[in-house]
Amino acid sequence: MAQGRIAGTVTDAATGAPLAAVLVEAANAQDAVAARTTTGPGGTYVLDGIAAGAYSVRFVSPGWTTVVMESQSVTSGQTTTVSATMEERAYEINPLTVTASRTFEKALDAPAAVEVVSTRDLEERQVTSPVEHVEQQPGVNVGRTGIRGRTAVLRGFNNIFSGRTLFMTDNRIARVPSLRVNIFYLNPTSELDMERVETVLGPGSALYGPNAAGGVVHYMTKSPIRSPGATFSVGGGLRQQGDDGGIGSGPIQGGDAGLFQFDGRIAVAPSDKFGFKISGQYFDATEYAFTDLVEAQVAGAGQACIGAGFDPTSPACGPFTSGLDLTNPADQGVLAQSARNAAMGRDDGHRNWGVDARMDFEPSPGTSLVLAAGRNVAAQATELTGLGASNVTNWGVTYGQARLRHRDLFAQLFYNYNTNDETFLLRNGRPLFDNSSLLVGQLQYQSRIGSAHRFIYGVDYLGTNPDSKGTINGVFEDDDETTEVGGYVQWEWALSPKFDFTGAFRYDYNSNLADPVFSPRAALVFKPDASNSFRLTFNRAFSTPTSTNQFLDISGGTIPITGTPFFYDLRATGSGGNGYSYMRENGIPMHMSPFNVLSGGSARQFLPTTTAQLWSTAVGLLGAAYPDLAPLAPLIPVPSADQVGVLALLLDTEVAGGAAPPPGCVAPPFCEAVDLANLQDIAALGPTVSNTFEFGYKGVFGDNVSVGANAWFTRYDSYIAPLRLLSPHVFLNGPQLGTYLSGVFRQLVGVAFPNEATALGTAQLIATEAAKIPLGTVTPTSVGGTASALALGYQDAGGFDVMGGELGAGFLLSDQLEMATSLSFIDRNTFETAGELLSEVSLNTPTVRGTASLTYRNDDSGVNGGLRFRAQNGFPFNSGPWVGDLAAITTLDANFGFRIPGYEDLWFQVDVSNVFDKAYQSMLGAPAIGRVVLARMRWDFNPF
């Protein structure tokens, strides 16, 4: 078929300056897109290979009024010139996106629920964490763990140390390498360098591969070619806190404390084909106060161990010996450092800095090469983990990235690297090292067949190399690398002017999984007109086990046994390649006991879980604790299992934290009964697979109203639950022991006792004391360490269903005033699971959450401002060592800014979070958050 071309230039209507990165589309009479491209740095574009005929040419760019040039004729072998001027607008109803399909499309046309934060929105707010920019969006839940600490998930299932949602910066995975956790203050990107943020709700594995099942949040930064100039901001403020540290906190001293923040960006473009930029940030603040009672006890033990000269044989140093070979000088050094760390406790500061650099080469339209690198260092911070809080010191994350785009080809290579050797756990002082890295290579191409079909296909490589020097991965340190390779194809078919179909599938290999994973995707989009779209989608997504899920092996501290010098090592362990197996005798899992040393044995020896064995242990312990009772031992026959049974009980973390024991609890805080005969080995972890069906609508009414609605259903299979106890403790049945001893001691009246009352009193004393003591712990054979271990691990929670939805609306009330609202809901807080050691999984987010915002923007005067309201219901929380109920939250935030009169490039801005200073706690283990006030001066200029 004879073909021609369309070419032209796009400029700013107000200044005449060329506009780059404008999407240009040529659509035929049926509104099918025949060709599309984006303008280059000089505002020019070329659409090649267009069949002769009449076309509408559309010009679209975020923040600019869309321009449509109708009835443009294309003649074979000739170039039709179509140029346009565009007007900047304060608000954008239907923005351009790239994240949902990894290519340009309007939010209205995307086969997923997409939300966008514009450049103007980013520039007008100063925040302590970049994730706050998406906090008002439907489906997003942000938990505040400190002045900068945040966790964020889409559509629920939050946890301490969460990495469920895929966060990216400029197509680069922004999670911390190996640990796969989102720590937002370790992202080196400056606030001043952000161009926009896109959020895609729902699974994204078909295009983004493993671990995008929870959705995608994508931060995109400014090009130095298209956004040259310099911007600096200097700000400060205060954070306020009352005298209540929150649930789980001991007494604190509240009050106000200052903070300081600096950001800078310099971008130079010597030509329209080359540019470079550098940006940086520095933040310094006093952290919110929280008194962890366990940390306080450990701090006292640290002082005592220091006073004992770090003597490994001293009981004062016992809390720091777990998992150590005390004959090894290196481990003796670890003991000393742990004691010093514990005695020091929390640092009340939060300080971090980052620097980012990038060079852009655009030798021709449609071709670009980007080279970028950055580093962020958390000089001081407090970060929550599944084993309690950690004291972060000089934890650095460095990255290097190269990405190439040539017409329809996209390729990139990036490397993320940790440097961390001064951080430690606050509940035991144990040092942590992490020099892990992630290497990723990606190749993607898109092609068209006619005007109705487009294909996007590519391959990804991810190589994860953990390196913790044994402090995190312990016995797995030499066998913990992971290689992942995946390929995908997406087919977009314009069935008619009103129907679009998208189909995709992805195939992934993981070196630590037995089988590859297949992830299909299908979406049907119906557009009855240019302003409304309905979509029906199916997505299968998966999340592979993290490095910690599989290879964790670390002591989380000691659990002292009251009234004795003995303890259990609280040991967190991954499932490895074989899962968790219990050593058995006659089908019953065996146990370890720290008291076994009293009879000359080892605390790591597996013992039969029988009445006779526990009786022997109890007799030895009572003889050592109560020497006056020792002569009685030879006189008491060993009871049978029918006379005195064995109880297996899990530690109840709520009761251990101070909650009242539930009815029937016989040995608080060990309250949850386990049937050892039914306790099965735990299989190795596989991928968590989610199958999601979703119906969505997005519409634009006139130029002033946008509405979005989503309803979804997800089936999770092989869901990986967070750290949970794997080791029930074993006890002698107290009431049965009392009855048995009473019968025996009656026969000893006149022999060992002067009268029956003394005999029965002694029987009850022994039974009561023995029944309180956890005589052993049933522990998987793979658990490391050098002491009797109380194991924490990760389990396959099986399958369950969850449903939810989101509603969102935006209203342009005038050229200067915008309002937005959202409502998000999920059907349940907890989900039942089948397992002897795991009964439920927690959502750990509210089931109902609503937001509303009002934004004012006057370009003539330079005044802007806004109000943001959030409300959510309370919910049960269960993650790591923290279990309990969180109250409902209602907050109001505000921001205000203006251009300094007489200075076109100088701005003053202030942002107030939690205006009414109504303290709230969004995660257990985190402090109660009060008001935060930030003010800054921002200077925008172009000296080049």
Side-chain angles (χ1 to χ4, degrees):
M1 182 181 295
Q3 295 180 331
R5 64 164 53 178
I6 300 175
T9 303
V10 183
T11 57
D12 184 341
T15 66
L19 295 180
V22 175
L23 176 67
V24 184
E25 295 180 326
N28 61 22
Q30 290 74 39
D31 202 36
V33 176
R36 66 158 54 95
T37 188
T38 57
T39 59
T44 60
Y45 75 93
V46 176
L47 294 172
D48 279 315
I50 302 177
Y55 294 86
S56 296
V57 182
R58 294 192 290 257
F59 302 87
V60 183
S61 183
W64 298 78
T65 302
T66 297
V67 175
V68 180
M69 311 288 283
E70 303 282 1
S71 302
Q72 302 299 313
S73 296
V74 175
T75 303
S76 173
Q78 296 185 17
T79 298
T80 299
T81 300
V82 181
S83 296
T85 59
M86 302 181 70
E87 295 181 353
E88 189 173 13
R89 62 182 299 170
Y91 302 101
E92 183 73 5
I93 282 290
N94 184 23
L96 191 71
T97 71
V98 298
T99 305
S101 293
R102 294 181 82 163
T103 187
F104 285 108
E105 61 194 340
K106 298 294 289 181
L108 197 66
D109 301 331
V114 183
E115 300 291 336
V116 178
V117 182
S118 70
T119 303
R120 294 287 294 273
D121 292 330
L122 294 169
E123 290 177 344
E124 291 173 355
R125 287 193 57 200
Q126 183 183 16
V127 296
T128 57
S129 173
V131 77
E132 291 177 51
H133 288 300
V134 300
E135 195 169 19
Q136 293 289 116
Q137 294 179 346
V140 179
N141 184 264
V142 177
R144 302 192 176 208
T145 60
I147 188 65
R148 294 201 89 184
R150 302 289 187 273
T151 64
V153 293
L154 309 181
R155 294 181 173 173
F157 297 101
N158 204 356
N159 274 298
I160 297 296
F161 221 55
S162 174
R164 170 177 164 77
T165 300
L166 174 59
F167 280 82
M168 301 192 304
T169 301
D170 289 337
N171 297 288
R172 178 181 61 85
I173 296 172
R175 295 177 176 127
V176 174
S178 177
L179 297 175
R180 204 197 296 167
V181 59
N182 292 314
I183 301 181
F184 300 104
Y185 56 78
L186 287 177
N187 188 336
T189 302
S190 167
E191 288 279 317
L192 301 179
D193 197 33
M194 288 186 188
E195 185 174 59
R196 69 184 185 275
V197 187
E198 296 182 5
T199 302
V200 180
L201 297 176
S205 284
L207 286 181
Y208 289 97
N211 315 315
V216 181
V217 178
H218 193 179
Y219 294 89
M220 282 159 275
T221 67
K222 299 173 182 176
S223 161
I225 297 176
R226 286 178 288 278
S227 300
T231 303
F232 295 96
S233 77
V234 178
L238 58 87
R239 69 105 178 108
Q240 298 177 283
Q241 185 177 25
D243 292 328
D244 181 8
I247 300 171
S249 174
I252 66 166
Q253 288 187 343
D256 301 345
L259 58 88
F260 172 80
Q261 186 168 358
F262 170 82
D263 284 85
R265 176 185 185 270
I266 298 175
V268 181
S271 72
D272 63 359
K273 296 184 178 181
F274 171 70
F276 63 91
K277 68 179 181 179
I278 185 169
S279 63
Q281 58 174 301
Y282 177 79
F283 185 91
D284 190 347
T286 300
E287 186 56 89
Y288 278 99
F290 185 88
T291 301
D292 186 305
L293 299 179
V294 175
E295 292 175 23
Q297 295 173 354
V298 173
Q303 294 286 359
C305 184
I306 292 172
F310 306 112
D311 181 358
T313 64
S314 170
C317 293
F320 307 104
T321 61
S322 58
L324 300 179
D325 177 2
L326 299 179
T327 64
N328 185 330
D331 279 6
Q332 292 176 12
V334 172
L335 183 153
Q337 186 61 53
S338 299
R340 283 191 291 264
N341 290 341
M344 180 175 66
R346 292 195 183 206
D347 189 301
D348 65 356
H350 185 113
R351 298 177 296 279
N352 69 283
W353 59 267
V355 63
D356 213 14
R358 170 174 149 182
M359 290 189 296
D360 286 23
F361 303 87
E362 298 185 355
S364 62
T367 301
S368 65
L369 173 66
V370 175
L371 303 176
R375 178 171 173 79
N376 195 299
V377 175
Q380 184 59 56
T382 300
E383 186 66 33
L384 299 183
T385 78
L387 293 172
S390 61
N391 189 85
V392 175
T393 304
N394 293 328
W395 185 350
V397 175
T398 303
Y399 83 90
Q401 179 186 29
R403 66 180 194 267
L404 170 69
R405 189 180 298 275
H406 178 64
R407 297 185 179 178
D408 294 323
L409 173 69
F410 173 81
Q412 78 163 342
L413 183 72
F414 65 83
Y415 182 69
N416 297 342
Y417 177 67
N418 275 349
T419 52
N420 175 28
D421 59 6
E422 298 180 58
T423 296
F424 60 88
L425 292 173
L426 283 162
R427 288 192 166 194
N428 66 354
R430 190 59 57 88
L432 301 176
F433 297 83
D434 189 1
N435 295 328
S436 303
S437 61
L438 172 69
L439 177 65
V440 176
Q442 296 176 319
L443 189 67
Q444 177 185 291
Y445 190 79
Q446 59 177 311
S447 59
R448 290 183 174 275
I449 300 178
S451 61
H453 302 274
R454 180 171 65 166
F455 292 88
I456 302 171
Y457 38 93
V459 293
D460 299 329
Y461 165 87
L462 292 84
T464 303
N465 181 23
D467 180 8
S468 72
K469 302 188 187 305
T471 64
I472 298 175
N473 288 0
V475 297
F476 298 109
E477 187 67 37
D478 296 328
D479 188 27
D480 55 5
E481 295 184 7
T482 303
T483 298
E484 298 170 275
V485 180
Y488 60 90
V489 176
Q490 177 164 296
W491 170 36
E492 299 173 6
W493 180 14
L495 295 167
S496 73
K498 294 185 178 181
F499 284 95
D500 290 330
F501 172 78
T502 299
F505 69 88
R506 184 182 180 98
Y507 191 79
D508 282 274
Y509 160 82
N510 183 297
S511 60
N512 291 312
L513 298 181
D515 300 306
V517 183
F518 175 62
S519 304
R521 177 193 193 194
L524 182 66
V525 178
F526 169 57
K527 296 180 290 185
D529 53 49
S531 299
N532 296 274
S533 71
F534 299 85
R535 68 181 185 279
L536 183 64
T537 64
F538 167 77
N539 279 281
R540 175 178 293 168
F542 70 101
S543 294
T544 58
T546 67
S547 175
T548 51
N549 292 155
Q550 292 184 302
F551 306 121
L552 186 66
D553 179 33
I554 185 174
S555 173
T558 57
I559 305 296
I561 302 172
T562 305
T564 78
F566 298 96
F567 62 86
Y568 288 99
D569 178 12
L570 182 63
R571 195 88 190 174
T573 182
S575 71
N578 300 310
Y580 307 97
S581 299
Y582 297 93
M583 188 173 291
R584 300 173 187 273
E585 183 178 272
N586 298 323
I588 301 299
M590 302 174 75
H591 70 277
M592 296 178 179
S593 174
F595 308 120
N596 197 39
V597 296
L598 295 174
S599 58
S602 166
R604 295 286 298 176
Q605 181 180 349
F606 283 98
L607 305 170
T609 307
T610 62
T611 298
Q613 178 60 54
L614 294 186
W615 173 255
S616 175
T617 300
V619 167
L621 177 59
L622 289 172
Y626 301 97
D628 294 344
L629 298 178
L632 286 175
L635 304 177
I636 307 173
V638 176
S640 67
D642 292 334
Q643 294 170 318
V644 180
V646 173
L647 298 178
L649 304 172
L650 278 177
L651 177 70
D652 189 316
T653 51
E654 285 191 82
V655 177
C665 180
V666 297
F670 304 94
C671 299
E672 193 173 335
V674 175
D675 183 357
L676 292 181
N678 289 325
L679 182 59
Q680 303 298 313
D681 293 344
I682 301 172
L685 296 173
T688 295
V689 177
S690 63
N691 292 284
T692 299
F693 295 89
E694 181 171 342
F695 175 77
Y697 166 77
K698 199 168 186 71
V700 175
F701 300 92
D703 290 330
N704 300 319
V705 179
S706 67
V707 176
N710 314 304
W712 50 269
F713 167 87
T714 297
R715 170 68 186 183
Y716 286 101
D717 288 303
S718 300
Y719 185 88
I720 300 175
L723 276 176
R724 290 288 192 274
L725 287 168
L726 304 180
S727 297
H729 283 81
V730 289
F731 300 77
L732 289 172
N733 187 306
Q736 292 179 354
L737 181 60
T739 300
Y740 173 74
L741 291 178
S742 294
V744 172
F745 286 3
R746 280 194 181 96
Q747 300 175 26
L748 298 177
V749 174
V751 178
F753 303 101
N755 52 56
E756 184 172 316
T758 301
L760 296 181
T762 303
Q764 290 304 312
L765 170 66
I766 295 175
T768 300
E769 292 301 314
K772 294 178 182 178
I773 300 173
L775 297 172
T777 177
V778 176
T779 300
T781 57
S782 59
V783 177
T786 58
S788 297
L790 174 60
L792 297 164
Y794 300 94
Q795 303 173 62
D796 180 341
F800 55 85
D801 301 331
V802 57
M803 295 181 292
E806 298 90 27
L807 298 171
F811 308 90
L812 297 186
L813 305 179
S814 71
D815 289 342
Q816 300 175 348
L817 197 61
E818 178 189 43
M819 184 173 72
T821 62
S822 76
L823 177 67
S824 308
F825 50 93
I826 299 176
D827 65 327
R828 284 180 288 165
N829 287 120
T830 57
F831 304 87
E832 294 183 0
T833 62
E836 190 64 32
L837 299 177
L838 182 66
S839 58
E840 65 180 25
V841 170
S842 295
L843 185 69
N844 286 337
T845 60
T847 55
V848 180
R849 184 175 186 272
T851 71
S853 64
L854 187 67
T855 303
Y856 173 78
R857 184 176 293 148
N858 187 322
D859 289 336
D860 294 332
S861 66
V863 174
N864 60 75
L867 296 172
R868 298 174 302 282
F869 171 80
R870 296 188 306 277
Q872 64 186 47
N873 63 344
F875 58 93
F877 186 86
N878 187 342
S879 183
W882 295 288
V883 181
D885 294 322
L886 287 165
I889 297 173
T890 302
T891 65
L892 179 69
D893 303 338
N895 66 283
F896 174 73
F898 61 91
R899 187 171 52 234
I900 303 297
Y903 298 90
E904 289 295 315
D905 298 328
L906 192 61
W907 299 79
F908 173 80
Q909 295 168 312
V910 62
D911 196 284
V912 182
S913 174
N914 194 0
V915 170
F916 298 111
D917 197 24
K918 185 178 179 181
Y920 64 89
Q921 199 171 10
S922 55
M923 301 188 82
L924 293 182
I929 304 296
R931 182 190 294 122
V932 178
V933 181
L934 287 169
R936 72 173 176 180
M937 295 292 295
R938 194 185 88 228
W939 185 24
D940 303 324
F941 64 104
N942 191 348
F944 308 108

